[in-house]
Amino acid sequence: MTGIDSQGPLDQPVTVHIWREKYRHGDEATPSDTFRRVIAGVYARDMQHAAEALAALEARDWVPGGRIFAGAGTAKRVTWINCFVSPTIQDSMDTEPGQPGVGIMPALSVAAFTQQQGGGIGMDFGTIRPDGALVARTGSVSSGVIPFMAMWDGMCLTIRSSGSRRGAMMGVLPVWHPDVLAFVTAKTRKDFLKNFNVSVTITDDFMAALEEGRHWDLGFAVPRADGKHVEVLEKEGAPWYVYHRLPAAELFDLITRTTYDFAEPGVIFIDRVNALNNLNYCETIAATNPCGEQPLPPNGDCDLGHVNLANMVLDPFTDAARIDWDRLKAAVATGVRFLDNVLDTSPFPTPEQREEALAKRRIGLGYTGLGNLLQQMRVRYGAGAVPLVEQLGEAIAVAAYRTSVELAQERGVFPAYDAESFARAPFLAKLPQDLRDDIAAHGIRNGVLLTLAPTGTTSIFYGNVSSGVEPTFSWHYNRAVVVEQTATEQKTEQFEVEDYGWFLYSRLPGFDPAAPLPDYMISALELSVEDHIAVAAAAQRWVDAAISKTINCPAAMSYEAFREVYLTAYRMGMKGCTTYRPSGVRGSVLSVAETAPSAPKPAPFASEEQAILKRPEILSGKTIKIKWPVDGENYYLTINDYVHGDGRRVTFEIFISTSSVENFEAMAALTRTLSAACRRGDATFLFEELERVHSPKGGSFVRLEGEKKGRYAPSLIALIGRILRMHSAPQQELFDDPAPGVETVGAEENGEECPNCKRDTAHRIEGCLTCFQCGFSKCG
């Protein structure tokens, strides 16, 4: 038993919809027609290997990037390359001859052309003089980086590239730039720079200053207009003007505190990126593509495709489960040749981008479906999965490098190849000696080969496999997809979606939907931060570029623990760090909330409560309306309280009413059991147990009225348990008004507002803002 059942996940209505709306071209009647069109375009000069590539697509072993699916083999004037990095932005409006890069306005034009043709783009704004700097040519004062970023943001807003795909951008600023303080907090302003992801490039010197408790200088090569410099130093033989000096810890706290509340900026450990780059002898990297998995030089590109790991397990969910290594290596070999062909056949937005791509022949081969593979292997996502993740990464890396050496013998090495310099690349030291010997003897076709990128809608197209290196987000959910949109309204359609791993697991012989799930069937929001970091670091070890991975953090996580995530990521050798913590302040002015003191534990009940309480004729209480997103049904939870002589209120009886025929009997049994327990004493322990119940249909983010922050509820029962526990708490977390009455509780996915469907259902997955209702993806 292997791979995707052609009568199963591939036939989900949402999968068919994604194919029709995003990847079908012209009169293509089936995905097979799409595959043949893509192969005809990509293999136009290599028909000898076209058949094996087509077979890999039909088997769903190989997943080309979304731009390739949308553009290859068509007459559209679009690029098949997902993302780029801008040419170096000169510190002048127009291009200065004899200097690297282009002026500000030409760079803006490059970004516009790139996005018009379907590519995302990243920009290093660290070359632009800061706010308050002297502009000697005009005798004026610079407005700094942020207003120029607003120009890029406005441009992106006006350009809609092929189909319904909007442009994606990454704005990067170095940690030493004087505008970094404004840059870090820029997106705390509502609706400002909405078309950007933003990241700070952090140097090893800064991390050393942080560890040693030293101060940090923010400076630039151009003087302040007011002359009020902290100090004038010398760097690379020229004056370097210190604009501000502050403790490194203060700046680090500003970055991490802002991210704690607003999910941005990310951080890129830029010195590590350059030190580990195979091509550091001929390029310097200062920025990444929009989702951060490809650190790229000026005009660099990321040519993406993925091996589908969900398809690579023999005898899944059994004691005999094992990796089909031959199938995996064959898919990698096909992928390397496929992506190398794309470089020769894809249109490029600018001649400079084509020149850079062909000089170094960088490709971004990665994988998707890791979460589903681990489930089939009965391995829990997290620290325990590290050996298998590393084993997979090593096998993919070795197969990719071997194929690239074979291509070098067949087609020639990449033009920027220098045997002596390339041999010193740290990544090569990990490869087997015989492979290193082959590289020395024959060279290699591609300068950089491996990355782990967001796979978004391509993963849905392939049966809703778990995306990229991420765990499964939800087992089973309803997804609202925009099927028709006009200038004034949009029409949506609800699709029922099943995760690929869940689809296989739930159809095993003897499956019992009421039984607890095994520990290896775990979703993203149930995992600890340590689990996420462990897998991210393990995946990065066998990638020569970088990875796109979001470390999901619980809303209740303390700032101190959140801050430590970034330090841990640096210590574990990662090239960057992106986190997401649901936050109730996102979209408002940045503020730091004081930590509330811990509530004292309640004293044990007195003897009055140890006996069964008798019901008075009249009880006060509340009725709460719950709309559960998973099944769309309304539930009315009534909680009546008993008031003791000393004024203390305790939960006495509970009723749940619903028009749902399916759940009526279960709700009646639940309320009778809970009410009986409440009358015999403190039933809080039962409420806590209910909060741990997981539904095979999946859970939902829920923000209750009166709550500042939403939380994930793994089932309707768990949500009810949470409401009851909060109601019974000595310090009311939910119901601040003790008077009787009715409160309405609305259940929703508590994410960011989706730019497309306007619902609060967008979350950061793989470093990318992704909507789990309409399918919008900021990166793809």
Side-chain angles (χ1 to χ4, degrees):
M1 178 179 177
T2 68
I4 297 177
D5 177 358
S6 62
Q7 301 303 310
L10 294 178
D11 298 322
Q12 292 186 68
V14 70
T15 293
V16 176
H17 174 80
I18 290 294
W19 165 68
R20 285 177 176 164
E21 295 300 313
K22 287 186 170 288
Y23 303 131
R24 183 176 65 166
H25 178 66
D27 59 356
E28 293 170 354
T30 67
S32 292
D33 295 335
T34 301
F35 296 152
R36 284 190 289 271
R37 182 253 301 165
V38 168
I39 293 300
V42 173
Y43 282 75
R45 306 177 190 178
D46 181 30
M47 294 307 294
Q48 179 184 353
H49 296 89
E52 64 189 40
L54 178 60
L57 287 176
E58 292 282 13
R60 306 311 201 266
D61 288 353
W62 171 244
V63 191
R67 293 299 84 208
I68 298 171
F69 267 132
T74 74
K76 296 177 187 177
R77 190 170 178 267
V78 296
T79 184
W80 310 349
I81 307 296
N82 272 65
C83 297
F84 300 84
V85 155
S86 169
T88 299
I89 305 173
Q90 294 181 0
D91 188 26
S92 60
M93 296 301 288
D94 203 359
T95 301
E96 294 286 345
Q99 300 295 320
V102 298
I104 291 170
M105 297 312 294
L108 179 64
S109 178
V110 169
F113 280 123
T114 300
Q115 292 182 85
Q116 183 186 46
Q117 292 197 27
I121 191 164
M123 279 73 59
D124 168 29
F125 290 103
T127 53
I128 297 177
R129 70 188 66 196
D131 184 18
L134 177 67
V135 184
R137 183 180 296 177
T138 59
S140 59
V141 179
S142 170
S143 59
V145 165
I146 305 301
F148 285 110
M149 290 184 68
M151 287 171 47
W152 261 260
D153 192 62
M155 172 275 297
C156 187
L157 187 64
T158 62
I159 290 182
R160 184 183 293 273
S161 60
S162 60
S164 61
R165 177 180 168 86
R166 281 204 178 275
M169 299 190 298
M170 170 70 84
V172 167
L173 201 69
V175 73
W176 46 259
H177 194 284
D179 283 354
V180 72
L181 304 176
F183 176 84
V184 166
T185 58
K187 290 191 67 175
T188 66
R189 295 159 55 184
K190 185 172 176 59
D191 295 333
F192 188 59
L193 302 182
K194 287 186 70 173
N195 297 290
F196 272 105
N197 292 335
V198 294
S199 288
V200 178
T201 48
I202 290 184
T203 62
D204 289 343
D205 284 348
F206 176 81
M207 295 304 292
L210 177 66
E211 184 177 351
E212 295 164 13
R214 292 190 279 110
H215 280 70
W216 181 251
D217 290 342
L218 306 179
F220 204 76
V222 175
R224 293 174 59 128
D226 61 10
K228 296 179 179 179
H229 307 108
V230 176
E231 191 174 353
V232 181
L233 305 174
E234 183 178 304
K235 287 194 176 183
E236 299 178 356
W240 196 75
Y241 303 90
V242 179
Y243 282 48
H244 307 287
R245 181 170 286 155
L246 75 168
E250 184 177 316
L251 177 52
F252 187 75
D253 282 343
L254 179 67
I255 294 169
T256 51
R257 279 256 180 212
T258 307
T259 308
Y260 182 74
D261 283 327
F262 293 90
E264 288 187 273
V267 301
I268 301 165
F269 300 122
I270 197 65
D271 289 342
R272 181 171 291 157
V273 164
N274 280 297
L276 298 179
N277 179 18
N278 288 355
L279 301 175
N280 58 19
Y281 62 88
C282 62
E283 65 182 27
T284 299
I285 290 173
T288 75
N289 71 324
C291 289
E293 81 278 3
Q294 273 284 352
L296 295 167
N299 290 307
D301 72 300
C302 52
D303 170 18
L304 300 177
H306 327 278
V307 174
N308 182 13
L309 295 183
N311 238 22
M312 300 295 164
V313 181
L314 298 165
D315 297 319
F317 300 107
T318 71
D319 291 339
R322 62 203 183 279
I323 306 297
D324 189 339
W325 296 108
D326 291 338
R327 186 173 184 174
L328 176 65
K329 292 171 185 176
V332 171
T334 294
V336 171
R337 180 177 290 272
F338 184 105
L339 295 177
D340 191 66
N341 285 353
V342 167
L343 295 174
D344 294 323
T345 51
S346 172
F348 282 81
T350 71
E352 292 78 12
Q353 291 167 347
R354 177 185 291 278
E355 181 182 348
E356 171 67 25
L358 296 184
K360 297 165 185 173
R361 305 198 69 86
R362 192 183 239 106
I363 63 173
L365 183 140
Y367 54 74
T368 191
L370 174 66
N372 291 155
L373 176 142
L374 294 176
Q375 292 153 16
Q376 294 175 70
M377 292 291 292
R378 304 200 297 189
V379 174
R380 186 184 186 277
Y381 191 104
V386 165
L388 181 54
V389 173
E390 292 191 350
Q391 186 181 15
L392 285 163
E394 180 179 7
I396 290 169
V398 170
Y401 272 73
R402 285 197 192 282
T403 304
S404 191
V405 172
E406 293 169 5
L407 282 176
Q409 295 174 268
E410 178 184 327
R411 300 175 174 180
V413 299
F414 66 92
Y417 178 70
D418 178 275
E420 185 176 344
S421 300
F422 192 83
R424 291 196 293 267
F427 191 81
L428 265 66
K430 301 179 182 181
L431 301 176
Q433 184 62 52
D434 68 314
L435 179 51
R436 299 204 301 272
D437 292 343
D438 285 345
I439 294 172
H442 307 293
I444 196 165
R445 178 68 171 170
N446 311 99
V448 177
L449 289 92
L450 305 163
T451 195
L452 291 175
T455 55
T457 52
T458 53
S459 289
I460 299 175
F461 177 29
Y462 271 44
N464 203 38
V465 301
S466 58
S467 187
V469 71
E470 301 285 356
T472 292
F473 186 81
S474 182
W475 303 122
H476 187 285
Y477 58 95
N478 291 322
R479 181 171 183 146
V481 175
V482 177
V483 293
E484 184 179 334
Q485 186 161 347
T486 67
T488 58
E489 61 181 354
Q490 62 183 17
K491 180 181 178 183
T492 62
E493 183 176 341
Q494 289 283 338
F495 289 97
E496 188 176 297
V497 182
E498 283 188 87
D499 169 72
Y500 173 74
W502 169 258
F503 183 94
L504 294 184
Y505 178 80
S506 63
R507 285 156 179 80
L508 291 172
F511 169 72
D512 179 3
L517 292 175
D519 68 343
Y520 57 81
M521 293 297 290
I522 191 166
S523 59
L525 298 172
E526 300 172 81
L527 292 165
S528 69
V529 170
E530 292 75 17
D531 287 329
H532 283 284
I533 294 177
V535 173
Q540 177 65 79
R541 288 186 193 111
W542 283 99
V543 168
D544 54 18
I547 73 172
S548 183
K549 169 80 179 82
T550 296
I551 298 170
N552 293 98
C553 301
M557 186 179 197
S558 70
Y559 167 68
E560 290 72 21
F562 182 85
R563 183 184 192 270
E564 188 64 27
V565 169
Y566 288 81
L567 299 176
T568 300
Y570 182 73
R571 296 183 194 115
M572 294 185 71
M574 294 175 63
K575 295 181 180 180
C577 187
T578 301
T579 56
Y580 180 75
R581 187 190 73 91
S583 168
V585 306
R586 192 165 295 116
S588 64
V589 177
L590 178 66
S591 62
V592 178
E594 293 184 5
T595 303
S598 300
K601 292 184 177 181
F605 281 172
S607 58
E608 179 185 3
E609 296 158 64
Q610 292 170 357
I612 300 176
L613 297 176
K614 294 183 179 180
R615 191 188 194 284
E617 287 187 15
I618 299 175
L619 290 173
S620 63
K622 298 175 183 289
T623 297
I624 306 102
K625 177 183 176 183
I626 303 170
K627 184 173 179 61
W628 182 239
V630 176
D631 62 13
E633 295 284 349
N634 292 329
Y635 299 83
Y636 295 85
L637 171 63
T638 298
I639 310 172
N640 288 335
D641 291 341
Y642 182 96
V643 182
H644 288 279
D646 59 4
R648 286 178 297 112
R649 303 169 65 92
V650 297
T651 303
F652 180 86
E653 62 186 13
I654 297 157
F655 302 97
I656 306 172
S657 61
T658 178
S659 59
S660 170
V661 176
E662 178 183 355
N663 292 324
F664 183 85
E665 183 178 2
M667 292 300 160
L670 180 65
T671 57
R672 292 176 71 90
T673 302
L674 291 175
S675 297
C678 289
R679 291 167 187 160
R680 285 163 172 78
D682 184 1
T684 304
F685 74 98
L686 279 178
F687 305 156
E688 292 172 349
E689 288 298 319
L690 293 180
E691 287 186 87
R692 299 186 177 96
V693 174
H694 291 253
S695 169
K697 294 182 179 180
S700 177
F701 264 105
V702 181
R703 186 181 67 228
L704 304 174
E705 187 170 297
E707 275 188 324
K708 294 181 179 179
K709 301 173 183 178
R711 281 178 262 177
Y712 180 77
S715 67
L716 172 63
I717 297 296
L719 175 59
I720 292 170
R722 170 174 143 203
I723 294 172
L724 293 171
R725 178 186 55 79
M726 293 167 71
H727 178 75
S728 302
Q731 289 196 351
Q732 301 295 320
E733 297 179 69
L734 176 60
F735 308 119
D736 294 324
D737 179 6
V742 177
E743 297 199 21
T744 300
V745 182
E748 64 182 83
E749 295 220 359
N750 185 35
E752 300 181 43
E753 181 183 281
C754 171
N756 186 47
C757 69
K758 306 303 180 185
R759 295 181 63 178
D760 293 336
T761 49
H763 299 268
R764 291 191 181 274
I765 302 295
E766 300 177 303
C768 179
L769 188 67
T770 303
C771 179
F772 283 89
Q773 283 298 313
C774 72
F776 168 85
S777 174
K778 193 168 182 179
C779 302

